[in-house]
Amino acid sequence: MVFEQLSEIMKSCGVVGAGGAGFPSYAKLNKKAETIILNCAECEPLFRVHRQLLAKYTNEILTALETVRDAVGANEIIVAVKPSYKDAIESVTEKLSSFPAVRIATLPEVYPAGDEIVTIYETTGKVVPPGELPISVGCIVYNVETMLNTYYAVTEGRPVTHKYVTVGGAVKSPATFYVPVGMKFSELLKLAGGAVTDDPAYLSGGPMTGNLATLSDVVTKTTNALLVFPETHQLIKKRQAKTTLNIRRSMSSCCQCSTCTDMCPRHMLGYPIEPHAFMRACSKGMETDIKAVVNTLYCSQCGVCEMFACPQDLAPKSLIGVAKNNLRAAGLKVTPQVAKPVNPLRESRYVQMDRLIARLGLTRYAVDAPLMDEKIAPKEIKVLFSQHIGAPAQPLVKKGDTVAADQKIASVGDKLGAEISAPASGKVVEATDKYLVIRTDGKGI
Ligand code: SF4
Ligand code: SF4
């Protein structure tokens, strides 16, 4: 398939990174690419879906990767996977003779092997310079679900309207469901049999990078998981802490041991981010070291410094997140720099997954979440216009209109962003500048 054709299909079908920030997938295509990497690291504890999809839809995913490789003229495809994902590795290995450009690269069983800067280093030995994109070292990285969506977009013209979401933690029957974009979290929770704790609190996303959520939130194209924990669980308490309290605690308790910086995965790859220096600037006044504040722009928000490294239980990641948002709001952008040499002690500072799970208090929740991929049909869905990086989509339908499944209902036109199509047929019963509510023809949960 030619480059322009694939780009147009990915754009019109609204394919975005199915996790993380949701970067529009067509915008990653680049003819300078030498290597296409399938990121199946799936390093957030309790997530299961990528390894499950790769094992089940191997042919579809490898076909999509080959389509991308062909369109951009890349030499090779790397399937980046952890050794413990045995079913996925076995299934890909069986297909290797049909896909000669594919090789499997195993990642260490550590967090955050799925940070694409880390994934690229682990699989190719290349360091993406701070402030640059993966294409600067000839790589394009896509995740597993994104490639499955690309396969359906290319072969059937099917737009992205559904999402695989793991419902886990303190629920009766943890599982991964295939649900329409716009489905309420309250209904997702019902699918997993409900909460098994009296004081449930919710995270959208993983234990390390997810955010507090409510049951009235809805699934978007980037929702990976709904996790339930008792309100008293450390993962909830951490996120509920106020910024002013976090700053006060850092002023009184940060001993400048530098463990956060020593263990920072980006710092170890030569990036200028230094959480301990930021914490010092935070507690002693930013004029003491403004560079440490500006360098927060190179942080991936992986959470290692806060959830694993800090012996004082302080909150460098959360405070860095606030600083990054303020810098961006002020118009500051990350600028390219030359990376320092990779820290020779890097491997000895890996955060092993089993240790991370124990440290986060997740051992009892680290269970299988079987893949249930029959389509779910709720009676009502609320589709947000901004579900991804780039411009919000503009509605193409209004209240009272009838829509068909897969009909385009919002568009970004020529701007960077993603088109949005209806996950189900039905009638638009509410329309604002931020979302549409569709009463569907579905049977309900
Ligand atoms: S690890 Fe904690 S105590 Fe040590 S420098 Fe970092 S924030 Fe301060
Ligand atoms: S969250 Fe902490 S450990 Fe992760 S990249 Fe940012 S500073 Fe480094």
Side-chain angles (χ1 to χ4, degrees), residues 83-119:
S84 59
Y85 304 171
K86 290 192 168 51
D87 291 349
I89 291 176
E90 200 179 301
S91 192
V92 173
T93 305
E94 277 171 14
K95 298 271 185 309
L96 283 180
S97 58
S98 309
F99 295 92
V102 174
R103 75 175 167 92
I104 297 173
T106 49
L107 297 165
E109 303 270 357
V110 301
Y111 181 89
D115 169 2
E116 66 180 6
I117 303 299
V118 176
T119 314

mmCIF file of all heavy atoms in Angstrom, residues 83-119:
data_model
loop_
_atom_site.group_PDB
_atom_site.id
_atom_site.type_symbol
_atom_site.label_atom_id
_atom_site.label_comp_id
_atom_site.label_asym_id
_atom_site.label_seq_id
_atom_site.Cartn_x
_atom_site.Cartn_y
_atom_site.Cartn_z
ATOM 1 N N PRO A 83 9.505 -11.907 28.034
ATOM 2 C CA PRO A 83 9.599 -13.371 27.962
ATOM 3 C C PRO A 83 8.425 -14.089 28.617
ATOM 4 O O PRO A 83 8.047 -15.181 28.205
ATOM 5 C CB PRO A 83 10.902 -13.694 28.710
ATOM 6 C CG PRO A 83 11.680 -12.428 28.686
ATOM 7 C CD PRO A 83 10.694 -11.298 28.637
ATOM 8 N N SER A 84 7.797 -13.468 29.622
ATOM 9 C CA SER A 84 6.693 -14.151 30.307
ATOM 10 C C SER A 84 5.405 -14.165 29.481
ATOM 11 O O SER A 84 4.463 -14.873 29.831
ATOM 12 C CB SER A 84 6.420 -13.484 31.662
ATOM 13 O OG SER A 84 6.093 -12.140 31.474
ATOM 14 N N TYR A 85 5.348 -13.411 28.361
ATOM 15 C CA TYR A 85 4.146 -13.413 27.526
ATOM 16 C C TYR A 85 4.262 -14.591 26.550
ATOM 17 O O TYR A 85 4.351 -14.437 25.329
ATOM 18 C CB TYR A 85 3.990 -12.100 26.774
ATOM 19 C CG TYR A 85 3.962 -10.858 27.641
ATOM 20 C CD1 TYR A 85 4.014 -9.598 27.083
ATOM 21 C CD2 TYR A 85 3.867 -10.948 29.029
ATOM 22 C CE1 TYR A 85 3.992 -8.460 27.872
ATOM 23 C CE2 TYR A 85 3.842 -9.819 29.826
ATOM 24 C CZ TYR A 85 3.911 -8.575 29.242
ATOM 25 O OH TYR A 85 3.895 -7.450 30.022
ATOM 26 N N LYS A 86 4.248 -15.779 27.110
ATOM 27 C CA LYS A 86 4.593 -16.986 26.348
ATOM 28 C C LYS A 86 3.636 -17.251 25.193
ATOM 29 O O LYS A 86 4.054 -17.606 24.092
ATOM 30 C CB LYS A 86 4.636 -18.201 27.282
ATOM 31 C CG LYS A 86 5.817 -18.149 28.240
ATOM 32 C CD LYS A 86 6.011 -19.481 28.938
ATOM 33 C CE LYS A 86 7.312 -19.600 29.688
ATOM 34 N NZ LYS A 86 7.629 -18.543 30.593
ATOM 35 N N ASP A 87 2.314 -17.092 25.428
ATOM 36 C CA ASP A 87 1.342 -17.367 24.351
ATOM 37 C C ASP A 87 1.569 -16.435 23.163
ATOM 38 O O ASP A 87 1.503 -16.852 22.004
ATOM 39 C CB ASP A 87 -0.099 -17.190 24.863
ATOM 40 C CG ASP A 87 -0.470 -18.273 25.858
ATOM 41 O OD1 ASP A 87 0.298 -19.241 25.985
ATOM 42 O OD2 ASP A 87 -1.520 -18.136 26.516
ATOM 43 N N ALA A 88 1.822 -15.167 23.466
ATOM 44 C CA ALA A 88 2.034 -14.189 22.391
ATOM 45 C C ALA A 88 3.309 -14.528 21.615
ATOM 46 O O ALA A 88 3.319 -14.531 20.376
ATOM 47 C CB ALA A 88 2.113 -12.781 22.973
ATOM 48 N N ILE A 89 4.374 -14.868 22.335
ATOM 49 C CA ILE A 89 5.648 -15.184 21.669
ATOM 50 C C ILE A 89 5.487 -16.433 20.791
ATOM 51 O O ILE A 89 5.932 -16.462 19.641
ATOM 52 C CB ILE A 89 6.767 -15.389 22.711
ATOM 53 C CG1 ILE A 89 7.094 -14.050 23.382
ATOM 54 C CG2 ILE A 89 8.027 -15.976 22.061
ATOM 55 C CD1 ILE A 89 8.118 -14.127 24.483
ATOM 56 N N GLU A 90 4.817 -17.429 21.348
ATOM 57 C CA GLU A 90 4.619 -18.673 20.593
ATOM 58 C C GLU A 90 3.828 -18.415 19.310
ATOM 59 O O GLU A 90 4.183 -18.884 18.228
ATOM 60 C CB GLU A 90 3.856 -19.646 21.489
ATOM 61 C CG GLU A 90 3.967 -21.086 21.076
ATOM 62 C CD GLU A 90 3.184 -21.948 22.058
ATOM 63 O OE1 GLU A 90 3.494 -21.927 23.263
ATOM 64 O OE2 GLU A 90 2.245 -22.615 21.611
ATOM 65 N N SER A 91 2.793 -17.623 19.432
ATOM 66 C CA SER A 91 1.937 -17.358 18.279
ATOM 67 C C SER A 91 2.677 -16.546 17.211
ATOM 68 O O SER A 91 2.540 -16.817 16.015
ATOM 69 C CB SER A 91 0.687 -16.619 18.773
ATOM 70 O OG SER A 91 -0.257 -16.583 17.774
ATOM 71 N N VAL A 92 3.455 -15.553 17.640
ATOM 72 C CA VAL A 92 4.233 -14.765 16.665
ATOM 73 C C VAL A 92 5.307 -15.651 16.025
ATOM 74 O O VAL A 92 5.515 -15.606 14.799
ATOM 75 C CB VAL A 92 4.871 -13.527 17.343
ATOM 76 C CG1 VAL A 92 5.808 -12.808 16.369
ATOM 77 C CG2 VAL A 92 3.795 -12.562 17.830
ATOM 78 N N THR A 93 5.952 -16.467 16.831
ATOM 79 C CA THR A 93 7.015 -17.337 16.303
ATOM 80 C C THR A 93 6.478 -18.257 15.199
ATOM 81 O O THR A 93 7.130 -18.445 14.164
ATOM 82 C CB THR A 93 7.621 -18.189 17.447
ATOM 83 O OG1 THR A 93 8.065 -17.300 18.475
ATOM 84 C CG2 THR A 93 8.805 -19.015 16.956
ATOM 85 N N GLU A 94 5.275 -18.767 15.420
ATOM 86 C CA GLU A 94 4.657 -19.651 14.397
ATOM 87 C C GLU A 94 4.458 -18.948 13.060
ATOM 88 O O GLU A 94 4.439 -19.573 12.014
ATOM 89 C CB GLU A 94 3.282 -20.132 14.891
ATOM 90 C CG GLU A 94 3.366 -21.319 15.820
ATOM 91 C CD GLU A 94 2.008 -21.617 16.450
ATOM 92 O OE1 GLU A 94 0.981 -21.092 15.967
ATOM 93 O OE2 GLU A 94 1.997 -22.348 17.449
ATOM 94 N N LYS A 95 4.290 -17.622 13.107
ATOM 95 C CA LYS A 95 3.966 -16.876 11.878
ATOM 96 C C LYS A 95 5.208 -16.247 11.233
ATOM 97 O O LYS A 95 5.098 -15.609 10.183
ATOM 98 C CB LYS A 95 2.983 -15.750 12.212
ATOM 99 C CG LYS A 95 1.643 -16.197 12.751
ATOM 100 C CD LYS A 95 0.670 -16.435 11.597
ATOM 101 C CE LYS A 95 -0.733 -16.761 12.022
ATOM 102 N NZ LYS A 95 -0.917 -17.813 12.983
ATOM 103 N N LEU A 96 6.362 -16.393 11.862
ATOM 104 C CA LEU A 96 7.537 -15.652 11.370
ATOM 105 C C LEU A 96 7.880 -15.984 9.916
ATOM 106 O O LEU A 96 8.328 -15.108 9.168
ATOM 107 C CB LEU A 96 8.753 -15.933 12.270
ATOM 108 C CG LEU A 96 8.759 -15.196 13.621
ATOM 109 C CD1 LEU A 96 10.005 -15.560 14.414
ATOM 110 C CD2 LEU A 96 8.656 -13.689 13.437
ATOM 111 N N SER A 97 7.653 -17.237 9.504
ATOM 112 C CA SER A 97 8.037 -17.596 8.130
ATOM 113 C C SER A 97 7.182 -16.842 7.096
ATOM 114 O O SER A 97 7.619 -16.607 5.980
ATOM 115 C CB SER A 97 7.907 -19.109 7.923
ATOM 116 O OG SER A 97 6.582 -19.489 8.187
ATOM 117 N N SER A 98 5.984 -16.415 7.487
ATOM 118 C CA SER A 98 5.134 -15.649 6.560
ATOM 119 C C SER A 98 5.437 -14.151 6.598
ATOM 120 O O SER A 98 4.943 -13.396 5.761
ATOM 121 C CB SER A 98 3.659 -15.843 6.904
ATOM 122 O OG SER A 98 3.344 -17.196 7.010
ATOM 123 N N PHE A 99 6.186 -13.725 7.591
ATOM 124 C CA PHE A 99 6.501 -12.297 7.730
ATOM 125 C C PHE A 99 8.013 -12.149 7.909
ATOM 126 O O PHE A 99 8.515 -11.946 9.027
ATOM 127 C CB PHE A 99 5.749 -11.704 8.941
ATOM 128 C CG PHE A 99 4.258 -11.711 8.793
ATOM 129 C CD1 PHE A 99 3.508 -12.783 9.268
ATOM 130 C CD2 PHE A 99 3.596 -10.677 8.147
ATOM 131 C CE1 PHE A 99 2.129 -12.807 9.128
ATOM 132 C CE2 PHE A 99 2.209 -10.691 7.999
ATOM 133 C CZ PHE A 99 1.475 -11.762 8.493
ATOM 134 N N PRO A 100 8.773 -12.240 6.794
ATOM 135 C CA PRO A 100 10.232 -12.286 6.914
ATOM 136 C C PRO A 100 10.876 -11.025 7.495
ATOM 137 O O PRO A 100 12.005 -11.087 7.983
ATOM 138 C CB PRO A 100 10.693 -12.518 5.464
ATOM 139 C CG PRO A 100 9.515 -12.232 4.603
ATOM 140 C CD PRO A 100 8.296 -12.432 5.421
ATOM 141 N N ALA A 101 10.151 -9.890 7.474
ATOM 142 C CA ALA A 101 10.752 -8.658 8.012
ATOM 143 C C ALA A 101 10.619 -8.570 9.528
ATOM 144 O O ALA A 101 11.154 -7.657 10.154
ATOM 145 C CB ALA A 101 10.103 -7.433 7.368
ATOM 146 N N VAL A 102 9.885 -9.536 10.121
ATOM 147 C CA VAL A 102 9.604 -9.445 11.564
ATOM 148 C C VAL A 102 10.665 -10.175 12.374
ATOM 149 O O VAL A 102 11.073 -11.285 12.026
ATOM 150 C CB VAL A 102 8.219 -10.066 11.876
ATOM 151 C CG1 VAL A 102 7.966 -10.113 13.391
ATOM 152 C CG2 VAL A 102 7.113 -9.279 11.187
ATOM 153 N N ARG A 103 11.113 -9.545 13.465
ATOM 154 C CA ARG A 103 11.898 -10.283 14.463
ATOM 155 C C ARG A 103 11.339 -9.966 15.846
ATOM 156 O O ARG A 103 10.764 -8.895 16.055
ATOM 157 C CB ARG A 103 13.385 -9.965 14.373
ATOM 158 C CG ARG A 103 13.817 -8.621 14.909
ATOM 159 C CD ARG A 103 15.348 -8.491 14.874
ATOM 160 N NE ARG A 103 15.785 -7.131 15.097
ATOM 161 C CZ ARG A 103 16.092 -6.625 16.299
ATOM 162 N NH1 ARG A 103 15.970 -7.371 17.382
ATOM 163 N NH2 ARG A 103 16.500 -5.387 16.419
ATOM 164 N N ILE A 104 11.502 -10.936 16.737
ATOM 165 C CA ILE A 104 11.030 -10.747 18.108
ATOM 166 C C ILE A 104 12.205 -10.251 18.946
ATOM 167 O O ILE A 104 13.311 -10.786 18.853
ATOM 168 C CB ILE A 104 10.505 -12.077 18.696
ATOM 169 C CG1 ILE A 104 9.291 -12.564 17.883
ATOM 170 C CG2 ILE A 104 10.139 -11.918 20.170
ATOM 171 C CD1 ILE A 104 8.803 -13.953 18.280
ATOM 172 N N ALA A 105 11.959 -9.208 19.738
ATOM 173 C CA ALA A 105 12.996 -8.748 20.685
ATOM 174 C C ALA A 105 12.388 -8.813 22.081
ATOM 175 O O ALA A 105 11.287 -8.283 22.305
ATOM 176 C CB ALA A 105 13.413 -7.325 20.361
ATOM 177 N N THR A 106 13.075 -9.488 22.979
ATOM 178 C CA THR A 106 12.522 -9.588 24.326
ATOM 179 C C THR A 106 12.980 -8.413 25.184
ATOM 180 O O THR A 106 14.130 -7.976 25.118
ATOM 181 C CB THR A 106 12.904 -10.913 25.011
ATOM 182 O OG1 THR A 106 14.292 -11.107 24.876
ATOM 183 C CG2 THR A 106 12.154 -12.069 24.418
ATOM 184 N N LEU A 107 12.035 -7.930 25.951
ATOM 185 C CA LEU A 107 12.279 -6.808 26.863
ATOM 186 C C LEU A 107 12.516 -7.365 28.261
ATOM 187 O O LEU A 107 11.980 -8.425 28.603
ATOM 188 C CB LEU A 107 11.053 -5.896 26.908
ATOM 189 C CG LEU A 107 10.659 -5.199 25.600
ATOM 190 C CD1 LEU A 107 9.238 -4.645 25.702
ATOM 191 C CD2 LEU A 107 11.644 -4.082 25.292
ATOM 192 N N PRO A 108 13.250 -6.644 29.100
ATOM 193 C CA PRO A 108 13.366 -7.094 30.484
ATOM 194 C C PRO A 108 12.019 -6.965 31.198
ATOM 195 O O PRO A 108 11.195 -6.119 30.823
ATOM 196 C CB PRO A 108 14.405 -6.138 31.087
ATOM 197 C CG PRO A 108 14.375 -4.936 30.200
ATOM 198 C CD PRO A 108 13.968 -5.398 28.838
ATOM 199 N N GLU A 109 11.812 -7.800 32.203
ATOM 200 C CA GLU A 109 10.523 -7.792 32.942
ATOM 201 C C GLU A 109 10.556 -6.659 33.971
ATOM 202 O O GLU A 109 10.567 -6.894 35.182
ATOM 203 C CB GLU A 109 10.324 -9.137 33.653
ATOM 204 C CG GLU A 109 10.370 -10.339 32.738
ATOM 205 C CD GLU A 109 9.006 -10.718 32.176
ATOM 206 O OE1 GLU A 109 8.004 -10.078 32.533
ATOM 207 O OE2 GLU A 109 8.964 -11.659 31.359
ATOM 208 N N VAL A 110 10.614 -5.458 33.439
ATOM 209 C CA VAL A 110 10.772 -4.301 34.322
ATOM 210 C C VAL A 110 9.794 -3.209 33.938
ATOM 211 O O VAL A 110 9.217 -3.211 32.849
ATOM 212 C CB VAL A 110 12.225 -3.744 34.250
ATOM 213 C CG1 VAL A 110 13.227 -4.801 34.643
ATOM 214 C CG2 VAL A 110 12.536 -3.167 32.875
ATOM 215 N N TYR A 111 9.655 -2.251 34.847
ATOM 216 C CA TYR A 111 8.856 -1.061 34.596
ATOM 217 C C TYR A 111 9.804 0.121 34.442
ATOM 218 O O TYR A 111 10.747 0.227 35.246
ATOM 219 C CB TYR A 111 7.898 -0.810 35.770
ATOM 220 C CG TYR A 111 7.030 0.393 35.552
ATOM 221 C CD1 TYR A 111 5.809 0.280 34.907
ATOM 222 C CD2 TYR A 111 7.448 1.658 35.952
ATOM 223 C CE1 TYR A 111 5.027 1.403 34.673
ATOM 224 C CE2 TYR A 111 6.672 2.776 35.710
ATOM 225 C CZ TYR A 111 5.466 2.634 35.074
ATOM 226 O OH TYR A 111 4.693 3.740 34.834
ATOM 227 N N PRO A 112 9.631 1.034 33.482
ATOM 228 C CA PRO A 112 8.611 1.081 32.441
ATOM 229 C C PRO A 112 9.185 0.679 31.083
ATOM 230 O O PRO A 112 9.500 1.540 30.264
ATOM 231 C CB PRO A 112 8.228 2.558 32.445
ATOM 232 C CG PRO A 112 9.532 3.282 32.750
ATOM 233 C CD PRO A 112 10.386 2.319 33.534
ATOM 234 N N ALA A 113 9.267 -0.623 30.827
ATOM 235 C CA ALA A 113 9.784 -1.082 29.533
ATOM 236 C C ALA A 113 8.927 -0.577 28.381
ATOM 237 O O ALA A 113 9.366 -0.547 27.236
ATOM 238 C CB ALA A 113 9.840 -2.608 29.517
ATOM 239 N N GLY A 114 7.683 -0.152 28.666
ATOM 240 C CA GLY A 114 6.796 0.308 27.595
ATOM 241 C C GLY A 114 6.878 1.800 27.315
ATOM 242 O O GLY A 114 6.236 2.276 26.378
ATOM 243 N N ASP A 115 7.643 2.566 28.093
ATOM 244 C CA ASP A 115 7.919 3.956 27.707
ATOM 245 C C ASP A 115 8.669 3.871 26.381
ATOM 246 O O ASP A 115 9.736 3.263 26.307
ATOM 247 C CB ASP A 115 8.771 4.619 28.798
ATOM 248 C CG ASP A 115 9.326 5.980 28.367
ATOM 249 O OD1 ASP A 115 9.020 6.440 27.245
ATOM 250 O OD2 ASP A 115 10.084 6.568 29.159
ATOM 251 N N GLU A 116 8.120 4.469 25.320
ATOM 252 C CA GLU A 116 8.691 4.167 24.001
ATOM 253 C C GLU A 116 10.170 4.533 23.888
ATOM 254 O O GLU A 116 10.907 3.906 23.129
ATOM 255 C CB GLU A 116 7.866 4.766 22.866
ATOM 256 C CG GLU A 116 7.833 6.248 22.795
ATOM 257 C CD GLU A 116 6.966 6.720 21.614
ATOM 258 O OE1 GLU A 116 6.310 5.913 20.942
ATOM 259 O OE2 GLU A 116 6.969 7.942 21.385
ATOM 260 N N ILE A 117 10.629 5.489 24.677
ATOM 261 C CA ILE A 117 12.058 5.821 24.654
ATOM 262 C C ILE A 117 12.861 4.634 25.205
ATOM 263 O O ILE A 117 13.922 4.281 24.693
ATOM 264 C CB ILE A 117 12.319 7.087 25.520
ATOM 265 C CG1 ILE A 117 11.459 8.255 25.025
ATOM 266 C CG2 ILE A 117 13.799 7.440 25.555
ATOM 267 C CD1 ILE A 117 11.707 8.691 23.604
ATOM 268 N N VAL A 118 12.310 4.006 26.245
ATOM 269 C CA VAL A 118 12.957 2.829 26.838
ATOM 270 C C VAL A 118 12.841 1.633 25.882
ATOM 271 O O VAL A 118 13.814 0.894 25.658
ATOM 272 C CB VAL A 118 12.336 2.500 28.222
ATOM 273 C CG1 VAL A 118 12.937 1.224 28.798
ATOM 274 C CG2 VAL A 118 12.522 3.667 29.182
ATOM 275 N N THR A 119 11.653 1.463 25.295
ATOM 276 C CA THR A 119 11.432 0.327 24.370
ATOM 277 C C THR A 119 12.421 0.394 23.211
ATOM 278 O O THR A 119 13.007 -0.616 22.810
ATOM 279 C CB THR A 119 9.989 0.359 23.814
ATOM 280 O OG1 THR A 119 9.079 0.593 24.874
ATOM 281 C CG2 THR A 119 9.642 -0.946 23.126
#
